[in-house]
Amino acid sequence: MSMGLMDFVMDAKSRIQEVDIHAAEQLIHSGDYQVLDVREPAEFLSGTVIEHALHIPRGILEAAADKDYAAAIPALRDGRTQKWLVFCRSGGRGALAADTLQKMGFTHVVNVLGGVDVCCRRVINMNMPDDAESLVQLKQPCIPIS
């Protein structure tokens, strides 16, 4: 039997911690959590949940967090013991990202149920990212080209 997207999301959700938007707001205000936004660049440019959220699209998360990859993103790669609060648009990619980070050795990762969609419905102020935060690009290929 083949698996679909929701099968992967539900499988990931069985292994991760998730919080609703009320708890997420408290975690953000505590100052103990680094926010990781795993949406695509165009989504991120439309507004982010919290100023200075680290933006790493889900599609390059493994490379960005890999301890042995030369072009990894230091803020994520070296943050395995930090507390991370993961946002995506609706919670699915966030669940996949949280599960992946845990598998990569991150010790405290929490996904936000409903993601940015819930934040917007609750009228949380969205921040516009500046140019330095808008895109993450890998500087070398993940697979060496011979």
Side-chain angles (χ1 to χ4, degrees):
M1 180 164 111
S2 65
M3 291 178 64
L5 171 62
M6 290 313 298
D7 297 314
F8 286 110
V9 170
M10 295 309 295
D11 183 52
K13 284 177 172 272
S14 72
R15 290 184 295 275
I16 64 170
Q17 179 183 358
E18 295 187 291
V19 295
D20 65 18
I21 192 59
H22 303 290
E25 288 175 299
Q26 292 174 346
L27 295 177
I28 290 168
H29 293 303
S30 77
D32 293 337
Y33 282 77
Q34 169 68 42
V35 175
L36 176 62
D37 189 324
V38 297
R39 294 176 298 152
E40 292 298 310
E43 294 172 297
F44 184 75
L45 288 172
S46 70
T48 185
V49 175
I50 187 168
E51 192 174 4
H52 306 298
L54 179 60
H55 173 234
I56 299 178
R58 172 65 193 95
I60 64 167
L61 185 66
E62 291 85 351
D66 192 302
K67 290 190 280 188
D68 299 320
Y69 181 54
I73 309 299
L76 184 62
R77 178 197 65 209
D78 301 335
R80 282 173 163 65
T81 59
Q82 268 184 260
K83 294 178 178 180
W84 292 95
L85 188 61
V86 181
F87 277 90
C88 68
R89 184 183 57 82
S90 62
R93 283 174 288 175
L96 295 171
D99 186 45
T100 296
L101 290 172
Q102 287 179 171
K103 289 176 181 175
M104 294 181 80
F106 287 74
T107 58
H108 197 86
V109 183
V110 179
N111 184 44
V112 178
L113 286 165
V116 172
D117 282 354
V118 171
C119 294
C120 291
R121 284 195 299 266
R122 284 189 38 84
V123 194
I124 291 176
N125 290 333
M126 296 292 282
N127 295 291
M128 297 308 295
D130 64 29
D131 290 341
E133 299 170 324
S134 64
L135 297 174
V136 173
Q137 298 177 349
L138 296 177
K139 295 180 174 79
Q140 68 184 52
C142 293
I143 301 171
I145 300 171
S146 313

